[in-house]
Amino acid sequence: MPELPEVETVRRQLEPRLVGRTLVAYAVRDARWTEPRSPNEVVAPLVGRRIEGFHRRGKYLIWEAEDELFLLIHLRMTGNLLYDAPEGTLYTRAHFGFDDGHDLRFVDPRRFGTGWLLAGQSELDAYLDARLGVEPFSDGFTAEHLRRLARGSRAPIKAFLLDQKRIAGIGNIYADEALFRSRIHPLRQAGRVTTAQWELLRDAVVDALSAGIDARGASIDDFRDLDGARGSFQDRFLIHRRADDGCLECGGPIRKILAAGRGTYVCEHCQPRPRGARIVPMTR
């Protein structure tokens, strides 16, 4: 699933190409993309309006049109936005044409991606605030804020990191990478992470996400950038998907276990297992 770095990669590519352009035509070929609204309700109001910006909040890409109309695009598991992709591109769910002759396609094999229209900054803020927690690159993303959020929680720290209502934008890949960088076992209870560990984890989250953005995202399965190119962060993983290669720090084994319902990679030498933690191993 595309996470914060992958969405930010696409946002940075869209901005110079489409800001100032005007939507002149569209075709939504899969009504599921805008459910429960009809495609015309969601996209038609954007026709004839100039694009004023592309923003990101968590894993949401926000297309801002004039008069404060906002199209929220979520890639979900397998969605991609492709610029000037060939006619007949498979799994095209929505197609947008602009006044300069270029076009944009939303391509999604599994059909989980969504598009949603909001009117006005206050409506946008209310929608996002109800669904998303603190942004990792914001001033509010501090160790103390995270510690307060986790106070008393018995949930594994991996689940805490994946909870979008607490922290916006982190998914399975970057949670594994951040926990390894901070030497915290993914099954440690969030409420038992120490103040010193929160300091390390806060910085590790920012470092892992920044590295992902620098590499233009990770392309394990479906993610491609605006031009259809793969990201390269998968070549820089410190722990995720490295069960066959061993730990880069200690040389010991990396295990794949179940944590927060997700396949999770851990080196239990570098990330000591908390007392009483029940390990559920997973096959590759």
Side-chain angles (χ1 to χ4, degrees):
M1 175 190 289
E3 303 180 30
L4 186 157
E6 289 73 44
V7 178
E8 179 63 19
T9 294
V10 172
R11 187 202 69 77
R12 292 182 182 190
Q13 292 180 313
L14 283 169
E15 193 168 57
R17 302 187 198 192
L18 291 181
V19 169
R21 302 268 60 89
T22 299
L23 181 68
V24 296
Y26 72 92
V28 177
R29 302 175 184 176
D30 183 357
R32 181 172 170 175
W33 191 64
T34 61
E35 285 181 346
R37 295 179 181 174
S38 72
N40 286 340
E41 285 182 279
V42 171
V43 186
L46 298 170
V47 174
R49 295 181 190 269
R50 185 179 65 252
I51 298 174
E52 298 193 335
F54 283 96
H55 315 289
R56 181 198 53 75
R57 181 81 165 85
K59 301 178 188 178
Y60 285 94
L61 178 70
I62 305 168
W63 167 338
E64 180 184 359
E66 59 185 325
D67 300 323
E68 288 196 344
L69 281 183
F70 301 95
L71 178 65
L72 270 64
I73 299 174
H74 203 304
L75 303 178
R76 302 296 173 185
M77 293 185 69
T78 60
N80 283 298
L81 284 166
L82 300 178
Y83 188 73
D84 285 348
E87 192 63 41
T89 296
L90 293 176
Y91 310 117
T92 296
R93 307 303 179 192
H95 189 187
F96 308 95
F98 302 97
D99 60 343
D100 60 354
H102 292 284
D103 62 28
L104 185 69
R105 294 171 186 265
F106 185 88
V107 176
D108 187 3
R110 298 190 67 179
R111 304 174 62 200
F112 292 142
T114 57
W116 193 251
L117 188 69
L118 296 170
Q121 187 67 47
S122 60
E123 186 173 331
L124 174 69
D125 291 343
Y127 184 93
L128 295 175
D129 289 347
R131 290 162 175 80
L132 300 175
V134 64
E135 275 283 321
F137 293 112
S138 71
D139 292 340
F141 190 68
T142 65
E144 177 58 23
H145 177 74
L146 297 175
R147 188 185 67 81
R148 288 198 304 268
L149 283 178
R151 184 178 294 140
S153 173
R154 300 179 65 182
I157 186 62
K158 174 75 179 276
F160 179 89
L161 292 176
L162 295 179
D163 184 350
Q164 298 302 296
K165 289 188 176 182
R166 297 180 184 273
I167 306 172
I170 302 176
N172 202 38
I173 293 171
Y174 296 93
D176 280 0
E177 293 292 303
L179 289 169
F180 178 73
R181 289 168 186 250
S182 57
R183 302 300 188 259
I184 299 172
H185 196 286
L187 293 180
R188 177 169 294 280
Q189 291 182 10
R192 293 191 174 182
V193 174
T194 67
T195 299
Q197 287 175 321
W198 281 119
E199 294 284 354
L200 292 172
L201 183 55
R202 182 266 170 205
D203 291 345
V205 167
V206 172
D207 289 347
L209 294 174
S210 297
I213 293 171
D214 182 64
R216 294 192 171 190
S219 293
I220 295 175
D221 296 312
D222 297 282
F223 174 71
R224 300 293 185 271
D225 71 9
L226 206 62
D227 299 312
R230 292 167 57 87
S232 63
F233 189 56
Q234 66 276 7
D235 300 325
R236 308 183 195 181
F237 286 167
L238 300 182
I239 188 129
H240 192 74
R241 293 212 168 189
R242 290 188 55 85
D244 292 329
D245 302 318
C247 180
L248 291 171
E249 292 291 326
C250 71
I254 291 174
R255 301 186 66 186
K256 185 179 182 183
I257 65 172
L258 185 68
R262 306 295 300 276
T264 299
Y265 294 82
V266 60
C267 169
E268 293 193 307
H269 179 269
C270 295
Q271 300 164 270
R273 186 191 306 184
R275 186 177 302 170
R278 179 174 173 266
I279 300 294
V280 179
M282 294 186 67
T283 57
R284 296 185 180 88

